[in-house]
Amino acid sequence: MIGNHELVLILDFGSQYTQLIARRVREQGVYCEIHPFTVSAEEIIAKNPKGVILSGGPSSVTDEDAPRVAPEFYEQIKSPMLGICYGMQMIAVDLGGESMPAARREYGHAELRRLSGKTTLFKDLPEKLDVWMSHGDHVTTLPEGFRQTATTGDVVTAIENDERQIYAVQFHPEVSHTPLGKDVLRNFLFEICGCAGDWTAKQFIEDEVAKIREIVGESDKVICGLSGGVDSTVAAVLVHEAIGDRQTCIFVNNGLLRAGEFEQTLRLYKDKLHLNVVGVDASEDFYKVLAGVVDPELKRKAIGAKFIDVFDAESKKVGGAKWLVQGTLYPDVIESVSLRGASVTIKSHHNVGGLPEKMDLKLIEPLRELFKDEVRLIGKDLGIPEEILQRHPFPGPGLGVRILGDITPEKVELLQKADKIFIEELHNFEEYNNVWQAFAVLLPIQSVGVMGDFRTYEKTIAIRAVTSTDGMTADWARLPHDLLQKVSSRITSEIRGINRVVYDISSKPPSTIEWE
Protein backbone atom coordinates (compact mmCIF):
# COMPACT_ATOMS: atom_id res chain seq x y z
CA MET A 1 0.00 0.00 0.00
CA ILE A 2 1.23 3.49 -0.84
CA GLY A 3 0.98 5.85 2.11
CA ASN A 4 -2.28 5.27 4.00
CA HIS A 5 -4.37 4.75 0.88
CA GLU A 6 -6.77 1.88 0.42
CA LEU A 7 -5.50 -0.77 -1.99
CA VAL A 8 -6.94 -3.16 -4.55
CA LEU A 9 -4.69 -5.96 -5.82
CA ILE A 10 -4.81 -7.29 -9.39
CA LEU A 11 -3.35 -10.75 -9.94
CA ASP A 12 -2.03 -11.12 -13.48
CA PHE A 13 -2.65 -14.38 -15.32
CA GLY A 14 -1.12 -13.11 -18.56
CA SER A 15 -3.92 -11.01 -20.03
CA GLN A 16 -3.05 -8.34 -22.57
CA TYR A 17 -5.59 -6.18 -20.72
CA THR A 18 -4.18 -6.44 -17.19
CA GLN A 19 -2.70 -2.94 -17.23
CA LEU A 20 -5.98 -1.64 -18.59
CA ILE A 21 -7.82 -3.11 -15.58
CA ALA A 22 -5.42 -1.19 -13.32
CA ARG A 23 -5.98 2.03 -15.25
CA ARG A 24 -9.76 1.68 -15.00
CA VAL A 25 -9.55 1.06 -11.24
CA ARG A 26 -7.36 4.12 -10.72
CA GLU A 27 -9.70 6.24 -12.84
CA GLN A 28 -12.25 5.59 -10.08
CA GLY A 29 -9.84 7.13 -7.56
CA VAL A 30 -8.77 3.80 -6.10
CA TYR A 31 -5.09 2.89 -5.86
CA CYS A 32 -4.22 -0.58 -7.16
CA GLU A 33 -1.18 -2.72 -7.81
CA ILE A 34 -0.51 -5.54 -10.27
CA HIS A 35 1.20 -8.67 -8.99
CA PRO A 36 1.96 -12.00 -10.70
CA PHE A 37 -0.49 -14.80 -9.94
CA THR A 38 2.30 -16.57 -8.03
CA VAL A 39 2.13 -14.08 -5.14
CA SER A 40 1.40 -15.95 -1.92
CA ALA A 41 -1.77 -15.62 0.12
CA GLU A 42 0.39 -14.47 3.06
CA GLU A 43 1.80 -11.58 1.01
CA ILE A 44 -1.69 -10.57 -0.07
CA ILE A 45 -3.04 -10.67 3.49
CA ALA A 46 -0.10 -8.56 4.69
CA LYS A 47 -1.12 -5.82 2.23
CA ASN A 48 -4.68 -5.81 3.60
CA PRO A 49 -6.36 -5.11 0.24
CA LYS A 50 -9.92 -3.83 0.00
CA GLY A 51 -10.42 -6.20 -2.92
CA VAL A 52 -8.66 -8.66 -5.24
CA ILE A 53 -9.16 -8.89 -9.03
CA LEU A 54 -8.13 -12.00 -10.97
CA SER A 55 -7.28 -11.03 -14.56
CA GLY A 56 -7.97 -12.84 -17.79
CA GLY A 57 -5.27 -14.75 -19.62
CA PRO A 58 -4.46 -16.70 -22.77
CA SER A 59 -4.50 -20.15 -21.13
CA SER A 60 -7.33 -22.63 -20.97
CA VAL A 61 -8.24 -23.58 -17.43
CA THR A 62 -8.18 -27.21 -18.62
CA ASP A 63 -4.50 -27.03 -19.63
CA GLU A 64 -2.18 -29.11 -17.47
CA ASP A 65 0.19 -26.15 -16.95
CA ALA A 66 -2.50 -23.46 -16.68
CA PRO A 67 -1.62 -20.73 -14.15
CA ARG A 68 -3.53 -21.29 -10.92
CA VAL A 69 -3.66 -19.95 -7.39
CA ALA A 70 -3.00 -22.30 -4.48
CA PRO A 71 -5.99 -24.48 -3.40
CA GLU A 72 -6.21 -22.72 -0.02
CA PHE A 73 -6.26 -19.27 -1.66
CA TYR A 74 -10.04 -18.85 -1.56
CA GLU A 75 -10.26 -19.75 2.13
CA GLN A 76 -7.33 -17.59 3.22
CA ILE A 77 -8.23 -14.40 1.32
CA LYS A 78 -11.12 -12.67 3.04
CA SER A 79 -11.21 -9.61 0.75
CA PRO A 80 -13.95 -9.43 -1.91
CA MET A 81 -12.85 -11.05 -5.17
CA LEU A 82 -13.64 -10.40 -8.85
CA GLY A 83 -12.65 -12.82 -11.61
CA ILE A 84 -12.51 -11.60 -15.21
CA CYS A 85 -12.66 -14.04 -18.17
CA TYR A 86 -9.99 -16.66 -17.35
CA GLY A 87 -10.32 -15.52 -13.74
CA MET A 88 -13.98 -16.52 -13.81
CA GLN A 89 -13.28 -19.96 -15.30
CA MET A 90 -10.54 -20.61 -12.73
CA ILE A 91 -12.80 -19.61 -9.84
CA ALA A 92 -15.56 -21.90 -11.13
CA VAL A 93 -13.27 -24.94 -11.51
CA ASP A 94 -11.31 -24.35 -8.29
CA LEU A 95 -14.51 -24.14 -6.23
CA GLY A 96 -16.11 -27.30 -7.63
CA GLY A 97 -17.80 -26.18 -10.84
CA GLU A 98 -16.88 -27.06 -14.42
CA SER A 99 -15.52 -25.19 -17.44
CA MET A 100 -15.37 -26.71 -20.92
CA PRO A 101 -14.05 -25.66 -24.33
CA ALA A 102 -16.86 -23.86 -26.14
CA ALA A 103 -18.27 -25.29 -29.37
CA ARG A 104 -17.80 -21.82 -30.84
CA ARG A 105 -15.25 -19.35 -29.49
CA GLU A 106 -16.96 -16.11 -28.47
CA TYR A 107 -14.92 -13.13 -29.59
CA GLY A 108 -16.00 -9.53 -30.05
CA HIS A 109 -19.28 -7.75 -29.36
CA ALA A 110 -22.08 -9.53 -27.53
CA GLU A 111 -25.30 -8.49 -25.82
CA LEU A 112 -25.46 -9.35 -22.14
CA ARG A 113 -28.85 -9.93 -20.56
CA ARG A 114 -29.07 -9.49 -16.81
CA LEU A 115 -31.15 -12.17 -15.11
CA SER A 116 -33.85 -11.42 -12.58
CA GLY A 117 -32.94 -11.23 -8.91
CA LYS A 118 -30.74 -8.99 -6.82
CA THR A 119 -27.21 -8.48 -8.12
CA THR A 120 -24.76 -6.06 -6.53
CA LEU A 121 -22.32 -6.19 -9.44
CA PHE A 122 -24.93 -4.93 -11.91
CA LYS A 123 -26.68 -2.55 -9.51
CA ASP A 124 -28.43 0.35 -11.28
CA LEU A 125 -27.40 -0.96 -14.71
CA PRO A 126 -29.86 -1.67 -17.55
CA GLU A 127 -31.20 -5.15 -18.24
CA LYS A 128 -29.16 -5.37 -21.46
CA LEU A 129 -25.51 -4.34 -21.89
CA ASP A 130 -23.12 -4.31 -24.83
CA VAL A 131 -20.01 -6.26 -23.77
CA TRP A 132 -16.73 -7.45 -25.28
CA MET A 133 -15.96 -11.17 -25.21
CA SER A 134 -12.69 -13.01 -25.84
CA HIS A 135 -12.79 -16.64 -24.70
CA GLY A 136 -12.61 -20.21 -25.91
CA ASP A 137 -13.83 -21.88 -22.69
CA HIS A 138 -17.05 -21.27 -20.78
CA VAL A 139 -18.48 -22.27 -17.43
CA THR A 140 -20.90 -25.20 -17.72
CA THR A 141 -21.55 -26.02 -14.06
CA LEU A 142 -21.64 -23.45 -11.26
CA PRO A 143 -19.83 -24.08 -7.97
CA GLU A 144 -21.99 -24.68 -4.90
CA GLY A 145 -23.38 -21.46 -3.43
CA PHE A 146 -23.04 -19.46 -6.67
CA ARG A 147 -25.83 -18.20 -8.87
CA GLN A 148 -25.84 -16.98 -12.44
CA THR A 149 -26.63 -13.28 -12.79
CA ALA A 150 -26.15 -12.67 -16.53
CA THR A 151 -26.06 -14.47 -19.86
CA THR A 152 -25.21 -13.92 -23.53
CA GLY A 153 -27.35 -16.43 -25.38
CA ASP A 154 -26.57 -19.77 -23.74
CA VAL A 155 -23.26 -18.66 -22.18
CA VAL A 156 -22.89 -18.13 -18.43
CA THR A 157 -21.65 -14.54 -18.43
CA ALA A 158 -21.63 -13.58 -14.74
CA ILE A 159 -21.82 -15.44 -11.44
CA GLU A 160 -21.69 -14.34 -7.82
CA ASN A 161 -21.68 -15.60 -4.28
CA ASP A 162 -22.66 -12.74 -1.97
CA GLU A 163 -21.97 -14.73 1.17
CA ARG A 164 -18.34 -15.39 0.20
CA GLN A 165 -18.10 -12.07 -1.66
CA ILE A 166 -16.76 -13.76 -4.79
CA TYR A 167 -17.91 -12.39 -8.15
CA ALA A 168 -16.92 -13.22 -11.72
CA VAL A 169 -17.68 -12.10 -15.27
CA GLN A 170 -16.89 -13.75 -18.60
CA PHE A 171 -16.66 -10.45 -20.50
CA HIS A 172 -14.01 -7.72 -20.24
CA PRO A 173 -15.39 -4.71 -18.31
CA GLU A 174 -12.06 -2.88 -18.64
CA VAL A 175 -12.09 -2.36 -22.43
CA SER A 176 -13.75 0.56 -24.20
CA HIS A 177 -15.86 -1.90 -26.24
CA THR A 178 -17.79 -2.58 -23.02
CA PRO A 179 -19.28 0.94 -22.66
CA LEU A 180 -20.73 0.39 -19.17
CA GLY A 181 -17.83 -1.75 -17.99
CA LYS A 182 -16.53 1.07 -15.82
CA ASP A 183 -19.85 0.99 -13.95
CA VAL A 184 -19.49 -2.73 -13.31
CA LEU A 185 -16.01 -2.13 -11.89
CA ARG A 186 -17.32 0.82 -9.93
CA ASN A 187 -19.97 -1.36 -8.31
CA PHE A 188 -17.30 -3.88 -7.33
CA LEU A 189 -15.02 -1.19 -5.89
CA PHE A 190 -17.57 0.91 -4.04
CA GLU A 191 -20.64 -1.24 -3.41
CA ILE A 192 -18.83 -4.51 -2.70
CA CYS A 193 -15.32 -3.56 -1.51
CA GLY A 194 -16.43 -0.38 0.26
CA CYS A 195 -13.69 1.80 -1.26
CA ALA A 196 -13.72 5.53 -0.59
CA GLY A 197 -11.80 6.63 -3.73
CA ASP A 198 -8.99 8.62 -2.08
CA TRP A 199 -6.42 8.31 -4.90
CA THR A 200 -6.02 11.84 -6.39
CA ALA A 201 -3.21 13.78 -8.04
CA LYS A 202 -3.19 16.38 -5.26
CA GLN A 203 -3.01 13.75 -2.54
CA PHE A 204 -0.25 11.89 -4.40
CA ILE A 205 1.87 15.05 -4.61
CA GLU A 206 1.47 15.77 -0.91
CA ASP A 207 2.32 12.19 0.05
CA GLU A 208 5.29 11.93 -2.29
CA VAL A 209 6.81 15.29 -1.29
CA ALA A 210 6.63 14.26 2.37
CA LYS A 211 8.13 10.86 1.54
CA ILE A 212 11.04 12.40 -0.43
CA ARG A 213 11.82 14.82 2.40
CA GLU A 214 11.84 11.96 4.86
CA ILE A 215 14.18 9.65 2.94
CA VAL A 216 16.57 12.37 1.69
CA GLY A 217 16.85 14.17 4.99
CA GLU A 218 17.81 17.79 5.54
CA SER A 219 21.25 17.85 3.91
CA ASP A 220 21.69 15.11 1.27
CA LYS A 221 22.28 16.13 -2.35
CA VAL A 222 20.33 14.62 -5.22
CA ILE A 223 21.09 14.25 -8.93
CA CYS A 224 18.48 13.91 -11.67
CA GLY A 225 18.99 13.08 -15.33
CA LEU A 226 16.63 15.04 -17.57
CA SER A 227 15.66 13.87 -21.06
CA GLY A 228 13.25 16.64 -22.02
CA GLY A 229 10.32 14.24 -21.82
CA VAL A 230 7.28 14.06 -19.56
CA ASP A 231 8.49 11.45 -17.08
CA SER A 232 11.89 12.86 -16.12
CA THR A 233 10.52 16.41 -16.03
CA VAL A 234 7.64 15.56 -13.68
CA ALA A 235 9.98 13.52 -11.47
CA ALA A 236 12.44 16.42 -11.28
CA VAL A 237 9.78 19.02 -10.46
CA LEU A 238 8.29 16.75 -7.80
CA VAL A 239 11.69 16.35 -6.11
CA HIS A 240 12.30 20.11 -6.48
CA GLU A 241 9.05 20.71 -4.58
CA ALA A 242 10.46 18.60 -1.77
CA ILE A 243 14.09 19.74 -1.48
CA GLY A 244 14.63 22.70 -3.83
CA ASP A 245 18.12 23.35 -5.17
CA ARG A 246 19.67 20.43 -3.31
CA GLN A 247 18.67 18.60 -6.49
CA THR A 248 21.00 19.17 -9.45
CA CYS A 249 19.50 18.22 -12.81
CA ILE A 250 21.76 17.20 -15.70
CA PHE A 251 20.41 17.58 -19.23
CA VAL A 252 22.69 15.92 -21.80
CA ASN A 253 22.56 16.70 -25.50
CA ASN A 254 23.59 13.46 -27.20
CA GLY A 255 23.29 15.03 -30.64
CA LEU A 256 20.26 12.85 -31.30
CA LEU A 257 17.49 15.14 -30.06
CA ARG A 258 14.96 16.88 -32.27
CA ALA A 259 15.93 20.13 -33.98
CA GLY A 260 16.40 22.93 -31.45
CA GLU A 261 15.08 20.77 -28.61
CA PHE A 262 18.16 21.00 -26.40
CA GLU A 263 18.29 24.81 -26.33
CA GLN A 264 14.52 25.34 -26.07
CA THR A 265 14.00 22.77 -23.32
CA LEU A 266 16.99 23.98 -21.33
CA ARG A 267 15.51 27.50 -21.30
CA LEU A 268 12.15 26.13 -20.17
CA TYR A 269 13.76 24.19 -17.33
CA LYS A 270 15.61 27.25 -16.08
CA ASP A 271 13.19 30.09 -16.74
CA LYS A 272 9.73 28.53 -16.27
CA LEU A 273 10.31 25.62 -13.88
CA HIS A 274 13.25 27.21 -12.01
CA LEU A 275 15.14 23.94 -11.77
CA ASN A 276 18.81 23.83 -10.81
CA VAL A 277 19.91 22.39 -14.15
CA VAL A 278 23.23 21.93 -15.96
CA GLY A 279 23.16 21.58 -19.77
CA VAL A 280 25.90 19.46 -21.33
CA ASP A 281 26.47 19.35 -25.10
CA ALA A 282 28.24 16.03 -25.71
CA SER A 283 27.13 15.56 -29.34
CA GLU A 284 30.60 14.94 -30.73
CA ASP A 285 31.37 12.30 -28.09
CA PHE A 286 28.26 10.35 -29.05
CA TYR A 287 28.92 10.61 -32.78
CA LYS A 288 32.40 9.15 -32.24
CA VAL A 289 31.19 6.02 -30.42
CA LEU A 290 28.41 5.52 -32.99
CA ALA A 291 30.66 5.76 -36.04
CA GLY A 292 30.10 2.70 -38.22
CA VAL A 293 27.62 1.04 -35.79
CA VAL A 294 24.64 -0.42 -37.69
CA ASP A 295 23.01 -3.00 -35.41
CA PRO A 296 20.14 -1.35 -33.46
CA GLU A 297 20.87 -3.14 -30.18
CA LEU A 298 24.55 -2.18 -30.39
CA LYS A 299 23.49 1.42 -31.05
CA ARG A 300 21.33 1.44 -27.93
CA LYS A 301 24.14 -0.01 -25.85
CA ALA A 302 26.71 2.42 -27.24
CA ILE A 303 24.44 5.40 -26.58
CA GLY A 304 23.60 4.11 -23.10
CA ALA A 305 27.24 3.50 -22.17
CA LYS A 306 28.36 6.92 -23.39
CA PHE A 307 25.49 8.58 -21.54
CA ILE A 308 26.60 6.92 -18.32
CA ASP A 309 30.17 8.16 -18.88
CA VAL A 310 29.03 11.74 -19.53
CA PHE A 311 26.49 11.71 -16.72
CA ASP A 312 28.99 10.21 -14.28
CA ALA A 313 31.59 12.88 -15.09
CA GLU A 314 29.07 15.69 -14.60
CA SER A 315 27.74 14.15 -11.40
CA LYS A 316 31.21 14.12 -9.84
CA LYS A 317 31.36 17.89 -10.33
CA VAL A 318 28.35 18.21 -8.02
CA GLY A 319 30.19 16.43 -5.23
CA GLY A 320 28.68 14.47 -2.36
CA ALA A 321 25.44 13.44 -4.06
CA LYS A 322 23.85 10.35 -2.52
CA TRP A 323 20.63 9.99 -4.49
CA LEU A 324 19.66 9.61 -8.14
CA VAL A 325 16.19 10.52 -9.44
CA GLN A 326 14.74 8.40 -12.25
CA GLY A 327 11.41 8.76 -14.05
CA THR A 328 10.54 5.06 -13.85
CA LEU A 329 6.83 4.40 -14.48
CA TYR A 330 4.64 1.52 -13.37
CA PRO A 331 4.64 -0.17 -16.83
CA ASP A 332 8.47 -0.17 -16.66
CA VAL A 333 8.29 -1.98 -13.33
CA ILE A 334 5.68 -4.48 -14.55
CA GLU A 335 7.56 -5.23 -17.79
CA SER A 336 10.71 -5.96 -15.79
CA VAL A 337 8.95 -8.80 -13.95
CA SER A 338 8.11 -11.81 -16.10
CA LEU A 339 5.16 -13.95 -15.08
CA ARG A 340 6.81 -17.14 -16.30
CA GLY A 341 10.59 -16.97 -16.20
CA ALA A 342 12.87 -14.77 -18.30
CA SER A 343 11.12 -12.80 -21.00
CA VAL A 344 12.53 -12.23 -24.47
CA THR A 345 14.51 -9.02 -24.95
CA ILE A 346 12.72 -6.88 -27.52
CA LYS A 347 15.02 -3.94 -26.85
CA SER A 348 17.25 -2.71 -24.07
CA HIS A 349 15.25 -0.86 -21.46
CA HIS A 350 16.41 2.60 -20.46
CA ASN A 351 14.65 3.09 -17.14
CA VAL A 352 14.80 0.16 -14.75
CA GLY A 353 18.33 -0.51 -13.54
CA GLY A 354 21.71 0.29 -15.08
CA LEU A 355 22.90 3.68 -13.90
CA PRO A 356 23.11 3.27 -10.12
CA GLU A 357 25.34 0.16 -10.30
CA LYS A 358 28.26 2.19 -11.61
CA MET A 359 27.57 5.37 -9.71
CA ASP A 360 26.83 3.83 -6.31
CA LEU A 361 23.81 6.08 -5.73
CA LYS A 362 20.54 5.26 -4.01
CA LEU A 363 17.43 5.57 -6.17
CA ILE A 364 14.48 7.91 -5.90
CA GLU A 365 11.70 6.87 -8.27
CA PRO A 366 8.73 9.08 -7.35
CA LEU A 367 6.61 7.96 -10.31
CA ARG A 368 7.11 4.20 -10.17
CA GLU A 369 3.49 3.60 -9.09
CA LEU A 370 2.02 5.70 -11.92
CA PHE A 371 0.85 5.23 -15.49
CA LYS A 372 1.65 7.84 -18.15
CA ASP A 373 -1.77 9.50 -18.04
CA GLU A 374 -1.48 9.82 -14.26
CA VAL A 375 1.96 11.40 -14.64
CA ARG A 376 0.45 14.05 -16.91
CA LEU A 377 -2.23 14.81 -14.31
CA ILE A 378 0.45 15.12 -11.61
CA GLY A 379 2.48 17.38 -13.91
CA LYS A 380 -0.52 19.60 -14.55
CA ASP A 381 -1.05 20.05 -10.81
CA LEU A 382 2.65 20.89 -10.48
CA GLY A 383 2.33 23.69 -13.05
CA ILE A 384 4.40 22.08 -15.81
CA PRO A 385 3.63 23.66 -19.23
CA GLU A 386 1.52 21.78 -21.76
CA GLU A 387 4.38 21.86 -24.28
CA ILE A 388 6.15 19.35 -22.02
CA LEU A 389 3.14 17.40 -20.72
CA GLN A 390 1.64 16.76 -24.16
CA ARG A 391 4.98 15.96 -25.78
CA HIS A 392 4.96 12.61 -27.51
CA PRO A 393 7.10 9.80 -26.05
CA PHE A 394 10.69 9.99 -27.28
CA PRO A 395 13.10 7.03 -27.09
CA GLY A 396 16.12 7.22 -24.78
CA PRO A 397 18.53 6.75 -27.73
CA GLY A 398 16.66 9.50 -29.57
CA LEU A 399 17.10 9.74 -33.34
CA GLY A 400 19.79 7.09 -33.09
CA VAL A 401 17.09 4.42 -33.47
CA ARG A 402 15.22 6.39 -36.13
CA ILE A 403 18.16 6.38 -38.51
CA LEU A 404 18.41 2.91 -40.00
CA GLY A 405 22.03 2.04 -40.63
CA ASP A 406 25.07 3.99 -39.46
CA ILE A 407 24.73 7.42 -37.87
CA THR A 408 26.46 10.57 -39.10
CA PRO A 409 25.87 14.26 -38.23
CA GLU A 410 24.67 14.80 -41.80
CA LYS A 411 22.00 12.08 -41.50
CA VAL A 412 20.91 13.45 -38.12
CA GLU A 413 20.44 16.90 -39.68
CA LEU A 414 18.34 15.45 -42.51
CA LEU A 415 16.10 13.59 -40.08
CA GLN A 416 15.77 16.56 -37.73
CA LYS A 417 14.52 18.72 -40.61
CA ALA A 418 12.01 16.10 -41.78
CA ASP A 419 10.78 15.38 -38.26
CA LYS A 420 10.33 19.10 -37.57
CA ILE A 421 8.16 19.50 -40.67
CA PHE A 422 6.01 16.51 -39.73
CA ILE A 423 5.44 17.76 -36.17
CA GLU A 424 4.74 21.32 -37.38
CA GLU A 425 2.06 20.13 -39.78
CA LEU A 426 0.46 17.89 -37.15
CA HIS A 427 0.07 21.03 -35.04
CA ASN A 428 -1.14 23.09 -38.03
CA PHE A 429 -3.83 20.49 -38.81
CA GLU A 430 -4.64 20.16 -35.06
CA GLU A 431 -3.83 16.44 -35.12
CA TYR A 432 -0.82 16.39 -32.74
CA ASN A 433 -2.87 15.67 -29.60
CA ASN A 434 -4.96 13.07 -31.41
CA VAL A 435 -2.04 10.67 -31.78
CA TRP A 436 0.08 8.92 -29.14
CA GLN A 437 3.35 9.26 -31.02
CA ALA A 438 4.49 10.63 -34.37
CA PHE A 439 7.92 10.83 -35.92
CA ALA A 440 10.04 10.49 -39.05
CA VAL A 441 12.52 7.72 -39.86
CA LEU A 442 15.48 7.99 -42.24
CA LEU A 443 15.72 4.82 -44.33
CA PRO A 444 18.92 3.38 -45.82
CA ILE A 445 17.19 3.38 -49.20
CA GLN A 446 17.77 5.58 -52.20
CA SER A 447 15.38 5.78 -55.07
CA VAL A 448 15.05 7.49 -58.41
CA GLY A 449 13.21 10.80 -58.55
CA VAL A 450 12.74 13.79 -60.82
CA MET A 451 13.19 17.37 -59.70
CA GLY A 452 12.85 19.98 -62.41
CA ASP A 453 14.58 18.58 -65.49
CA PHE A 454 17.01 16.48 -63.47
CA ARG A 455 17.02 12.85 -62.45
CA THR A 456 17.76 12.35 -58.73
CA TYR A 457 18.85 9.36 -56.68
CA GLU A 458 18.26 10.35 -53.08
CA LYS A 459 17.13 9.16 -49.67
CA THR A 460 13.70 8.09 -48.38
CA ILE A 461 11.86 9.30 -45.28
CA ALA A 462 9.19 7.19 -43.60
CA ILE A 463 6.69 8.98 -41.39
CA ARG A 464 4.81 7.17 -38.63
CA ALA A 465 1.91 8.13 -36.37
CA VAL A 466 0.09 5.80 -34.00
CA THR A 467 -2.84 5.90 -31.62
CA SER A 468 -2.55 4.14 -28.26
CA THR A 469 -3.43 4.43 -24.59
CA ASP A 470 -0.20 3.20 -23.06
CA GLY A 471 2.13 2.12 -25.86
CA MET A 472 1.65 -1.60 -25.08
CA THR A 473 -0.44 -1.93 -28.24
CA ALA A 474 -0.89 0.67 -30.97
CA ASP A 475 -2.76 1.23 -34.21
CA TRP A 476 -1.58 3.35 -37.11
CA ALA A 477 -3.25 6.76 -37.19
CA ARG A 478 -5.68 7.51 -40.01
CA LEU A 479 -4.28 10.98 -40.70
CA PRO A 480 -6.05 13.22 -43.23
CA HIS A 481 -4.73 12.83 -46.76
CA ASP A 482 -4.32 16.60 -47.05
CA LEU A 483 -1.98 16.51 -44.07
CA LEU A 484 0.08 13.66 -45.51
CA GLN A 485 0.28 15.44 -48.86
CA LYS A 486 1.47 18.66 -47.20
CA VAL A 487 4.14 16.84 -45.19
CA SER A 488 5.42 14.96 -48.23
CA SER A 489 5.47 18.08 -50.37
CA ARG A 490 7.35 20.13 -47.77
CA ILE A 491 9.92 17.44 -47.00
CA THR A 492 10.81 16.76 -50.64
CA SER A 493 10.90 20.44 -51.61
CA GLU A 494 12.57 21.92 -48.53
CA ILE A 495 15.15 19.25 -47.70
CA ARG A 496 17.93 18.65 -50.22
CA GLY A 497 18.74 14.95 -50.26
CA ILE A 498 15.19 13.57 -49.80
CA ASN A 499 13.06 12.72 -52.82
CA ARG A 500 10.54 10.21 -51.44
CA VAL A 501 8.21 10.04 -48.42
CA VAL A 502 6.28 6.92 -47.35
CA TYR A 503 3.69 6.43 -44.59
CA ASP A 504 3.93 3.47 -42.20
CA ILE A 505 0.55 1.73 -41.76
CA SER A 506 1.73 -1.10 -39.47
CA SER A 507 0.12 -1.71 -36.08
CA LYS A 508 1.66 -3.05 -32.85
CA PRO A 509 1.63 -6.02 -32.85
CA PRO A 510 3.01 -7.32 -35.18
CA SER A 511 5.30 -4.31 -35.56
CA THR A 512 6.81 -2.22 -32.79
CA ILE A 513 6.11 1.51 -32.64
CA GLU A 514 9.75 2.44 -33.23
CA TRP A 515 11.55 0.97 -36.22
CA GLU A 516 14.58 -0.11 -34.21
Side-chain angles (χ1 to χ4, degrees), residues 481-493:
H481 289 183
D482 288 349
L483 166 57
L484 295 175
Q485 187 275 330
K486 184 70 177 292
V487 171
S488 176
S489 176
R490 284 193 60 191
I491 288 175
T492 52
S493 62

Side-chain angles (χ1 to χ4, degrees), residues 48-109:
N48 191 30
K50 298 284 285 188
V52 176
I53 298 176
L54 311 179
S55 85
S59 300
S60 167
V61 75
T62 59
D63 292 344
E64 186 176 340
D65 62 345
R68 305 288 275 273
V69 294
E72 63 273 14
F73 177 85
Y74 303 95
E75 297 301 327
Q76 291 179 316
I77 304 302
K78 303 303 181 183
S79 306
M81 201 174 298
L82 172 65
I84 295 175
C85 197
Y86 175 85
M88 169 173 164
Q89 295 155 14
M90 184 181 66
I91 286 173
V93 171
D94 286 351
L95 297 181
E98 291 183 355
S99 178
M100 302 284 289
R104 178 180 60 84
R105 184 184 180 195
E106 196 172 23
Y107 181 83
H109 290 284

Side-chain angles (χ1 to χ4, degrees), residues 24-65:
R24 294 293 177 256
V25 171
R26 292 192 183 183
E27 284 171 4
Q28 305 278 2
V30 177
Y31 178 68
C32 65
E33 293 177 355
I34 298 172
H35 289 270
F37 70 91
T38 51
V39 66
S40 69
E42 291 75 20
E43 290 175 277
I44 294 174
I45 293 168
K47 288 179 175 290
N48 191 30
K50 298 284 285 188
V52 176
I53 298 176
L54 311 179
S55 85
S59 300
S60 167
V61 75
T62 59
D63 292 344
E64 186 176 340
D65 62 345

Side-chain angles (χ1 to χ4, degrees), residues 417-491:
K417 290 178 179 178
D419 190 78
K420 183 180 180 184
I421 288 171
F422 188 24
I423 299 303
E424 282 178 355
E425 292 304 332
L426 283 168
H427 282 294
N428 290 341
F429 278 77
E430 298 183 347
E431 291 287 344
Y432 184 84
N433 290 334
N434 293 334
V435 298
W436 164 266
Q437 195 171 5
F439 54 91
V441 180
L442 182 63
L443 305 183
I445 297 170
Q446 289 181 279
S447 64
V448 175
V450 177
M451 290 188 175
D453 295 325
F454 296 96
R455 176 182 180 275
T456 62
Y457 191 62
E458 294 177 337
K459 292 182 172 61
T460 301
I461 285 284
I463 55 176
R464 180 146 171 78
V466 298
T467 57
S468 181
T469 54
D470 51 22
M472 302 297 290
T473 60
D475 193 15
W476 63 277
R478 275 64 169 175
L479 296 178
H481 289 183
D482 288 349
L483 166 57
L484 295 175
Q485 187 275 330
K486 184 70 177 292
V487 171
S488 176
S489 176
R490 284 193 60 191
I491 288 175

Side-chain angles (χ1 to χ4, degrees), residues 269-331:
Y269 282 147
K270 290 181 176 181
D271 299 340
K272 286 190 178 181
L273 298 178
H274 309 294
L275 294 175
N276 175 22
V277 58
V278 176
V280 183
D281 189 350
S283 305
E284 294 304 320
D285 294 332
F286 282 88
Y287 290 149
K288 286 177 184 176
V289 299
L290 286 168
V293 180
V294 175
D295 181 87
E297 188 64 14
L298 294 180
K299 282 186 199 175
R300 288 179 178 273
K301 289 179 177 177
I303 293 167
K306 177 50 65 177
F307 176 79
I308 290 173
D309 289 342
V310 173
F311 193 84
D312 190 27
E314 289 299 321
S315 300
K316 287 175 180 174
K317 296 178 184 178
V318 176
K322 296 182 179 180
W323 300 88
L324 174 70
V325 178
Q326 283 191 319
T328 309
L329 300 191
Y330 199 38

Side-chain angles (χ1 to χ4, degrees), residues 182-202:
K182 62 182 183 298
D183 298 285
V184 175
L185 289 173
R186 185 173 182 82
N187 280 341
F188 175 71
L189 296 170
F190 294 96
E191 298 293 334
I192 295 170
C193 298
C195 292
D198 63 352
W199 177 247
T200 66
K202 181 181 178 182

Side-chain angles (χ1 to χ4, degrees), residues 227-228 251-269 281 283 287 387-388 391 394 399 412-413 415-421 423-424:
S227 69
F251 183 30
V252 177
N253 181 11
N254 59 11
L256 303 168
L257 300 175
R258 290 189 172 104
E261 189 170 45
F262 178 66
E263 297 78 12
Q264 293 164 10
T265 307
L266 189 58
R267 282 197 301 271
L268 186 150
Y269 282 147
D281 189 350
S283 305
Y287 290 149
E387 59 190 285
I388 288 282
R391 188 172 288 178
F394 192 65
L399 302 183
V412 171
E413 185 178 0
L415 183 55
Q416 284 178 331
K417 290 178 179 178
D419 190 78
K420 183 180 180 184
I421 288 171
I423 299 303
E424 282 178 355

Side-chain angles (χ1 to χ4, degrees), residues 361-428:
L361 295 172
K362 291 177 283 188
L363 271 182
I364 299 175
E365 296 174 303
L367 310 179
R368 72 178 282 121
E369 292 98 0
L370 303 181
F371 290 100
K372 177 75 79 172
D373 52 348
E374 293 174 314
V375 173
R376 288 194 167 104
L377 290 174
I378 300 297
K380 187 174 183 179
D381 273 24
L382 288 169
I384 296 173
E386 286 292 303
E387 59 190 285
I388 288 282
L389 293 181
Q390 297 306 320
R391 188 172 288 178
H392 289 173
F394 192 65
L399 302 183
V401 290
R402 294 178 179 175
I403 296 173
L404 276 59
D406 67 321
I407 296 170
T408 66
E410 293 74 25
K411 289 182 179 179
V412 171
E413 185 178 0
L414 279 179
L415 183 55
Q416 284 178 331
K417 290 178 179 178
D419 190 78
K420 183 180 180 184
I421 288 171
F422 188 24
I423 299 303
E424 282 178 355
E425 292 304 332
L426 283 168
H427 282 294
N428 290 341

